[in-house]
Amino acid sequence: MVLKYTANYINKNYGKDIFFFCALSVFFLISLGSLPADPDLWGYLAFGKLFWTLPGYPYVDVFSYLPVKPEWVYHEWLTGAIFYPIYNNFGDTGLQFLRYLLLLATLLVTFATARMRGAGTICAFVTLILLGGYLKMGYSPVRAQIFTYLFFAIYLYLLEKVRLGKLRTGILWLIPLQIAWTNLHGGYLAGIGLLFIYTASAYITKASSRKILTAVLGLCLVSTLLNPYGLAYWVYTFEAVSMPRNEISEWWSIVKALQNGYGVIAIVWMLCSAVLVAIILLRQRKVTVYELGVLGITFALSVSSNRHIIFFLLASCALVPTFVQELVPQVPKLYKYKLPEIKYRSEMEIAMMFIFILSFSLFFTLSGSFRLNIPLCGGASDEQKLCYPTGAVEYIKQKRITGNILTLFEWGEYLIWETYPHCKIGLDGRYETVYPNWVCDKYFDFLNARPGWSEFLKQFPPDMILLPASRKVTSLIRKEGTWDIAMENSGSVLFIRKD
């Protein structure tokens, strides 16, 4: 009886949509593969532990032995507060489940936006596959960005609904969403940016929604002050947006990234998608300033920083399918064709669908997709890929070594999570949230073995140095007479000061 009712309900409301969205979900879940745990994850967990175990809010950094800012403005504090209890209670599985859940939610909202704008089911499905095929670049395990991508998709959905005249006061939901987004990740500026584009476009087109959009934009701006740092958050945001990040590869422009061989596949995919989108838009007469504004600005941001590519891909997946449908005359006829395998006419077909979902879930679980991948360092190419010095960390723990560790930027937060409070580190991926710019500059001079690299060791003397074995500065340290090699393997070297 339940299965029969379910079959009737699906047929009446979402027949083809559910089938194709399930296929879409399988495609993207499989494409994620076994990606290595992101370095920032350990920083979230370390902060979350402080948040839930200390009597007061952690406004000052306690993890580093280097000079730090007087106030630690951690724009991802709520992410850490959420991640830590999940990891503490459910381990790897809990975090990975959250990651997949937010990915599917983002896909669902993006798919729904395309459908709401008039794209057919198959058209929305194919466009998401072609343009969004490399969305996985934003879903390494497990970063605060997964919240930003979901909120970006939700904002786009609600703003499109306002533009189409299908939503009025419901746009006020953006205000509580903005508060949550602001405290989860610094990417909240993307939401403010979308609101600004739609508000400005409403004035250009003299749309009736321009007044309520203006009010919501103002209220969302004010709501960003509802954070643990108040106005200091705005000051930090301005500094973070305007500062150069020449040493951080994910912030490189696509030109610099291509020159250095970083993220080549993602960039090529984005450029091919941009060319396809441009061809489609140039052949349309119904493109509005709304679509041009969103697609143009997100593309410009992608060019300036490959970190922003995901925004252009999401916007394209939501907005372009409508134009694809209008461009190809044969497509609308295809939508009207009743595919028999998508028509759930019996309890048996519904049962088979649920069996497939359960089977795929079991396969996905057994394949290790719910375990965090923490690759060990070992090889000359380690500088080109993410890995962790698990052997050195285990050695430090077994020998109960304490002191200050100078380490690789990408390893810093991992060492914070694994060795604090017995060891303090310098420097790590929290970067501008904790360290003054001059400290970062001196650190990268050391790390990259630039002239005067050893001055950093004299100015901020560590007790230990943990670096990749293949790094140039590692070879230079070997030649000094002030360091003993406590532990070494093919991937990392742990130096301890002789005195």
Side-chain angles (χ1 to χ4, degrees), residues 297-365:
I297 291 176
T298 53
F299 176 72
L301 289 171
S302 300
V303 172
S304 65
S305 171
N306 62 83
R307 179 190 177 102
H308 296 135
I309 289 176
I310 194 104
F311 294 114
F312 174 71
L313 295 179
L314 283 173
S316 299
C317 290
L319 302 179
V320 172
T322 308
F323 301 121
V324 174
Q325 178 173 329
E326 295 173 355
L327 188 63
V328 185
Q330 294 82 3
V331 173
K333 297 177 183 178
L334 182 59
Y335 299 148
K336 297 176 183 178
Y337 178 69
K338 301 298 182 182
L339 298 176
E341 66 271 26
I342 303 176
K343 202 71 174 174
Y344 307 107
R345 292 185 293 266
S346 69
E347 296 91 328
M348 180 59 69
E349 289 174 349
I350 292 295
M352 291 299 293
M353 183 178 70
F354 282 124
I355 290 173
F356 169 77
I357 293 174
L358 289 174
S359 299
F360 175 75
S361 301
L362 182 61
F363 163 77
F364 199 64
T365 302

Side-chain angles (χ1 to χ4, degrees), residues 352-385:
M352 291 299 293
M353 183 178 70
F354 282 124
I355 290 173
F356 169 77
I357 293 174
L358 289 174
S359 299
F360 175 75
S361 301
L362 182 61
F363 163 77
F364 199 64
T365 302
L366 294 177
S367 66
S369 299
F370 283 94
R371 292 195 301 270
L372 284 175
N373 179 17
I374 307 176
L376 284 67
C377 293
S381 62
D382 282 337
E383 291 187 46
Q384 305 299 324
K385 63 182 180 181

Side-chain angles (χ1 to χ4, degrees), residues 115-422:
R115 294 285 287 117
M116 177 185 66
R117 284 170 46 84
T121 304
I122 300 175
C123 184
F125 170 79
V126 172
T127 307
L128 265 165
I129 295 292
L130 291 179
L131 300 184
Y134 219 75
L135 288 175
K136 69 175 185 178
M137 67 173 291
Y139 286 89
S140 59
V142 181
R143 302 187 72 177
Q145 279 86 337
I146 58 177
F147 294 108
T148 281
Y149 302 144
L150 175 59
F151 282 121
F152 182 83
I154 292 174
Y155 268 52
L156 200 54
Y157 174 81
L158 293 176
L159 289 169
E160 273 297 300
K161 211 165 188 180
V162 170
R163 184 182 72 83
L164 296 172
K166 299 179 180 180
L167 185 68
R168 194 70 179 174
T169 56
I171 194 67
L172 295 175
W173 278 107
L174 290 182
I175 299 169
L177 287 175
Q178 186 67 58
I179 296 172
W181 193 351
T182 299
N183 290 280
L184 284 164
H185 186 234
Y188 74 93
L189 288 177
I192 298 296
L194 276 178
L195 263 170
F196 179 80
I197 293 171
Y198 273 81
T199 302
S201 299
Y203 277 96
I204 293 172
T205 59
K206 297 181 180 179
S208 59
S209 59
R210 60 186 183 274
K211 291 184 178 179
I212 191 168
L213 284 173
T214 302
V216 172
L217 174 59
L219 290 171
C220 283
L221 279 170
V222 173
S223 71
T224 60
L225 290 172
L226 297 178
N227 65 80
Y229 314 101
L231 278 172
Y233 196 176
W234 279 10
V235 175
Y236 158 76
T237 301
F238 175 78
E239 292 177 349
V241 169
S242 59
M243 71 177 293
R245 290 182 171 87
N246 298 324
E247 309 288 353
I248 313 300
S249 53
E250 68 175 351
W251 285 98
W252 289 344
S253 68
I254 61 170
V255 174
K256 184 174 181 180
L258 288 174
Q259 289 174 342
N260 290 273
Y262 176 81
V264 174
I265 297 177
I267 293 172
V268 171
W269 194 293
M270 186 275 291
L271 292 175
C272 291
S273 299
V275 171
L276 179 61
V277 169
I279 292 172
I280 293 170
L281 294 183
L282 287 172
R283 300 192 62 179
Q284 300 298 311
R285 296 182 180 179
K286 297 181 181 179
V287 181
T288 68
V289 291
Y290 297 90
E291 290 105 356
L292 288 177
V294 173
L295 293 173
I297 291 176
T298 53
F299 176 72
L301 289 171
S302 300
V303 172
S304 65
S305 171
N306 62 83
R307 179 190 177 102
H308 296 135
I309 289 176
I310 194 104
F311 294 114
F312 174 71
L313 295 179
L314 283 173
S316 299
C317 290
L319 302 179
V320 172
T322 308
F323 301 121
V324 174
Q325 178 173 329
E326 295 173 355
L327 188 63
V328 185
Q330 294 82 3
V331 173
K333 297 177 183 178
L334 182 59
Y335 299 148
K336 297 176 183 178
Y337 178 69
K338 301 298 182 182
L339 298 176
E341 66 271 26
I342 303 176
K343 202 71 174 174
Y344 307 107
R345 292 185 293 266
S346 69
E347 296 91 328
M348 180 59 69
E349 289 174 349
I350 292 295
M352 291 299 293
M353 183 178 70
F354 282 124
I355 290 173
F356 169 77
I357 293 174
L358 289 174
S359 299
F360 175 75
S361 301
L362 182 61
F363 163 77
F364 199 64
T365 302
L366 294 177
S367 66
S369 299
F370 283 94
R371 292 195 301 270
L372 284 175
N373 179 17
I374 307 176
L376 284 67
C377 293
S381 62
D382 282 337
E383 291 187 46
Q384 305 299 324
K385 63 182 180 181
L386 178 61
C387 62
Y388 292 98
T390 53
V393 168
E394 189 62 30
Y395 178 87
I396 291 171
K397 288 182 175 180
Q398 287 181 353
K399 300 296 183 179
R400 298 182 181 179
I401 305 172
T402 62
N404 299 328
I405 308 175
L406 178 59
T407 190
L408 186 68
F409 179 82
E410 291 84 357
W411 293 351
E413 290 171 286
Y414 177 69
L415 290 176
I416 285 173
W417 173 247
E418 291 288 348
T419 65
Y420 181 81
H422 304 293

